[in-house]
Structure formats: C-alpha cells, structure tokens
Amino acid sequence: MKTLVIVSHPSLETSVINKRWVEELRKYPEKYTVHELNKVYPDGNINAEKEQQLIESHGNLVLQFPFYWFNCPPLIKKWLDDVFTYGWAYGTNGGDKLKDRKAALAVSAGINKEDYREDGRYRYTLEHLLSPFETTFLYCNADYRSFFAFYGAENEPPASELEKSALDYLYFVDNL
C-alpha cells in the first residue's frame, strides 16, 4: 500500500527543504501520495470524512511540516483535531482506524541541531518538543516510528546537503 504524506507548509513554493522533499516523493507516485493541506484547504475548512477516507486508503502515514515557534503550522494542528475524531481514531464504535498503522513525522527545523539539546540554547531536544505528536499517535494505537529532521533550515543549505537530505528522507519514508 502507498504511503500518505500529509504536508502542511504556509508557503511551500518558497520553501527550500520541504519543497525539495515533496519533489523527491513525487518522483515515485506509485509509492507515495503527497497531500498538500494548504492547497486543498486554503480557507482552513477541512473535510474530515474525506481525510479519513484518504488515510484509510493508504498504508503508512507521515506528517511533514516546518517546525517553527517550537510547534507545527496551525493547519496541521487543525487537521489533527478535525480528522482524529472519537469513534474513528480512538474510542469505541470503530475508533481503531489508526491501529497498528505506521506513522512518522518529517520536520525541517530552522535552528541548528546543537541548539536542540538539554544543554543547548533552547534546553530541549527536538524529540522532547515533538513528544505531543508521538503521544497522539500512541493514544490512537498507531505504530509511531519517530521523526526525520533537517536542522539549520534558516541558513541556505548547500545544494549537496539539500540533495543528501532529500535522499535520506526518501530512505526514511521507505523504511518505516
């Protein structure tokens, strides 16, 4: 089954990292469905039933977004709130649609990896800061597989680093 990659980026067309990751995934339409929330829902009105059906028609699930203000873009949070509903994602009456589904995150972090340490500038690791997503997936009985991150996105990465990141990301998604 194909992997569904939910992308939320307020300006994907001007992105360096997330845009490159999407370009790489789109080379393999038989393996990945790239679903750009900001294109599909520019008004923020999410069709939860349609999104649930999309998830159900795929295997693995990846949420891809830029990590800024130490969180996700608002649209992906709204998507989680609207789509992961009681009776579908958790709870009784069929609330098992994410059960055992492999799920992961792909984030671009603007600041450097050294800053995401307990003794770093911001005192928390990226793993710690992303723990609410992990907890959400665990609550829904999904098989959370961790995250892929690109650090230092605020600085224009050299082309070789950008290409390596795209290939590493593809490898990560292939091996969930």
Side-chain angles (χ1 to χ4, degrees):
M1 256 186 148
K2 289 170 70 170
T3 295
L4 177 61
V5 181
I6 303 293
V7 179
S8 180
H9 195 296
S11 58
L12 187 62
E13 61 283 346
T14 62
S15 166
V16 175
I17 305 303
N18 282 273
K19 179 180 171 185
R20 180 62 189 94
W21 289 351
V22 166
E23 290 168 353
E24 193 63 30
L25 291 169
R26 286 212 166 112
K27 290 179 182 178
Y28 307 95
E30 71 284 357
K31 293 169 76 173
Y32 313 110
T33 298
V34 177
H35 186 55
E36 293 180 49
L37 293 181
N38 297 74
K39 269 189 185 174
V40 177
Y41 302 111
D43 60 0
N45 293 319
I46 294 170
N47 182 333
E49 186 177 315
K50 180 181 169 189
E51 295 299 305
Q52 291 168 343
Q53 290 170 355
L54 186 61
I55 293 168
E56 289 178 35
S57 70
H58 286 78
N60 303 335
L61 176 63
V62 176
L63 304 182
Q64 177 187 320
F65 54 89
F67 191 70
Y68 59 87
W69 291 116
F70 308 98
N71 211 326
C72 65
L75 189 56
I76 205 145
K77 174 61 170 115
K78 182 170 181 1
W79 182 88
L80 287 165
D81 290 345
D82 290 357
V83 176
F84 286 19
T85 57
Y86 178 85
W88 185 84
Y90 67 96
T92 57
N93 300 324
D96 62 354
K97 301 302 188 266
L98 296 174
K99 184 177 179 163
D100 299 326
R101 185 179 306 272
K102 292 177 182 172
L105 304 174
V107 299
S108 58
I111 59 179
N112 296 320
K113 191 172 186 174
E114 311 74 66
D115 292 327
Y116 286 112
R117 293 191 323 225
E118 289 178 16
D119 63 345
R121 182 175 180 192
Y122 299 108
R123 299 185 354 210
Y124 293 98
T125 64
L126 191 54
E127 181 176 41
H128 180 100
L129 293 167
L130 291 171
S131 64
F133 295 95
E134 177 181 4
T135 305
T136 297
F137 283 122
L138 294 175
Y139 187 77
C140 296
N141 293 308
D143 182 4
Y144 181 70
R145 303 302 218 147
S146 194
F147 64 91
F148 178 84
F150 182 92
Y151 296 90
E154 287 178 355
N155 307 317
E156 188 75 24
S160 61
E161 192 176 334
L162 186 59
E163 290 309 305
K164 181 179 180 331
S165 172
L167 295 176
D168 289 347
Y169 176 44
L170 199 60
Y171 180 82
F172 173 80
V173 175
D174 276 343
N175 291 285
L176 289 180

